[in-house]
Amino acid sequence: MKKIVLTLVAAMAVTFSFAGTKSDKRFDMSCDIYRLSEVLDLDEKQMDAVEEIHDKFSDEMKSLASVKGPKQRHMIHEAVRKEARQMKSVLNEKQFGAYMRILLTTLRNRRI
């Protein structure tokens, strides 16, 4: 009986640990800036600005993982709009369009 209880507790602990990290990974928006700069054909000045803006966005998204319900959806929408405004001032139209496609595809794939 003792072995069954310990096995059950261990199984629950493993399940809860995976469940806890899953939502955190979903909101982790960090990416390889150098690869992104190649895709978007950024110069050094743009790359530095994009890295700074995206780091702030990534930190904001990680903090939104703990918020639940309709408030979370609204806050995610606001974070994406804020980043889009900042990126639009740094990137040209072609780069901005490609960046938004990448960002929105990432959000859709992660079901955010």
Side-chain angles (χ1 to χ4, degrees):
M1 184 69 170
K2 187 176 180 181
K3 288 182 182 179
I4 293 172
V5 171
L6 289 176
T7 304
L8 183 62
V9 169
M12 288 175 59
V14 169
T15 303
F16 290 135
S17 70
F18 284 129
T21 59
K22 184 177 179 185
S23 64
D24 294 340
K25 287 182 182 178
R26 202 176 92 176
F27 286 89
D28 182 15
M29 299 302 291
S30 60
C31 68
D32 184 1
I33 296 296
Y34 296 106
R35 191 161 179 229
L36 182 64
S37 70
E38 288 176 1
V39 172
L40 298 178
D41 193 31
L42 302 177
D43 60 28
E44 285 186 40
K45 183 180 173 185
Q46 287 177 317
M47 193 168 92
D48 291 339
V50 166
E51 184 175 18
E52 184 178 326
I53 293 167
H54 192 71
D55 285 346
K56 289 178 186 176
F57 174 70
S58 184
D59 291 342
E60 190 171 354
M61 288 298 288
K62 284 178 188 176
S63 70
L64 293 178
S66 62
V67 178
K68 301 296 178 201
K71 185 177 182 180
Q72 181 188 50
R73 195 147 189 79
H74 175 72
M75 292 174 79
I76 290 170
H77 181 73
E78 289 299 317
V80 171
R81 286 181 51 167
K82 179 179 157 186
E83 184 186 35
R85 276 193 309 269
Q86 292 174 342
M87 287 293 189
K88 192 166 185 132
S89 67
V90 173
L91 305 174
N92 64 35
E93 281 191 43
K94 183 179 175 184
Q95 293 169 328
F96 180 72
Y99 179 77
M100 289 308 293
R101 278 192 299 279
I102 293 168
L103 177 64
L104 296 176
T105 301
T106 301
L107 292 171
R108 189 177 318 118
N109 287 344
R110 294 183 182 186
R111 293 180 171 81
I112 296 179

